[in-house]
Amino acid sequence: MTAFIYLASQSPRRSQLLTQIGVEHQLLLPDPHEDAEALEAVHGREAPARYVQRVTALKLDAAVERLKAQGLPAAPVLCADTTVALGGEILGKPATAKDAALILQQLSGQTHRVLTAVAVQKGRQRVTALSESWVRFAAMTPAQIKAYVATGEPMGKAGAYGVQGRAASHIEQIRGSYSGIMGLPLFETAALLRQLGVRC
């Protein structure tokens, strides 16, 4: 059994979720010279599922190279990426408060998909999974959207909201994986880790 893994993610939520299932982990974050955001660029009319799996694979490639370059002890490396899709449209992270408000206007009163791809590599072996969930927002008034954006919570989050935060008061229904919507589907993640001999 492997004692610990590397988590190649800047998301504090993913770290908390791994801790929740008892997985010892160490952060393996991008160096300042790495352009991590460039990996998240959408290619044309890319399907959301294809997009999130491609981005996760690229992030894992970069993390595995980082591990080698830093000469760190060998251990499995985990990467994940989450995207929000309304129909076939990918709703990424808002760049500004105005962006966040526009995204939330689109989600208001609608059901959207949340897709989280997970990939883990140990040596030359790589295992992957995709979690798909559905979230329905109640209709939000302009004042409610403005108040939520003012909290700063939408920034840095796909779809401009965090399910575990204040947005929960506007979420009418969820189908699928709550932890997947947060950013790391625990059922799928635990299954992948067990395949690679990680205790969880």
Side-chain angles (χ1 to χ4, degrees), residues 3 9 20 41 50 52 58 63 88 118 130 145 148 153 162 177 182:
S9 172
Q20 185 181 321
R50 182 178 169 80
V52 77
L58 289 173
V118 185
L130 178 67
I145 290 173
Y148 180 54
E153 193 176 282
S177 166
M182 273 181 76

Side-chain angles (χ1 to χ4, degrees), residues 70-157:
Q70 293 180 16
L72 294 167
V77 181
L78 184 148
C79 270
D81 193 66
T82 301
T83 198
V84 167
L86 189 60
E89 185 186 355
I90 293 167
L91 301 177
K93 296 172 185 171
T96 62
K98 188 180 176 182
D99 261 1
L102 288 171
I103 291 170
L104 290 163
Q105 280 167 26
Q106 286 179 269
L107 297 181
S108 172
Q110 302 292 324
T111 298
H112 63 272
R113 285 184 299 154
V114 180
L115 300 110
T116 297
V118 185
V120 190
Q121 185 157 329
K122 180 185 181 184
R124 293 190 174 185
Q125 188 182 2
R126 181 175 290 200
V127 290
T128 63
L130 178 67
S131 163
E132 187 171 8
S133 301
W134 290 262
V135 178
R136 180 170 180 81
F137 265 80
M140 293 172 77
T141 66
Q144 286 173 325
I145 290 173
K146 188 177 179 183
Y148 180 54
V149 172
T151 68
E153 193 176 282
M155 306 315 293
K157 294 184 179 71

Side-chain angles (χ1 to χ4, degrees), residues 20-106:
Q20 185 181 321
I21 57 168
V23 177
E24 292 278 333
H25 59 281
Q26 187 175 314
L27 296 181
L28 181 64
L29 300 178
D31 296 321
H33 69 270
E34 288 184 57
D35 190 357
E37 292 299 313
L39 299 179
E40 297 182 5
V42 181
H43 292 175
R45 297 287 299 159
E46 199 169 12
R50 182 178 169 80
Y51 163 78
V52 77
Q53 288 171 301
R54 179 181 62 78
V55 169
T56 302
L58 289 173
K59 286 183 174 181
L60 186 51
D61 290 343
V64 169
E65 284 306 310
R66 197 179 309 138
L67 182 69
K68 287 178 192 165
Q70 293 180 16
L72 294 167
V77 181
L78 184 148
C79 270
D81 193 66
T82 301
T83 198
V84 167
L86 189 60
E89 185 186 355
I90 293 167
L91 301 177
K93 296 172 185 171
T96 62
K98 188 180 176 182
D99 261 1
L102 288 171
I103 291 170
L104 290 163
Q105 280 167 26
Q106 286 179 269

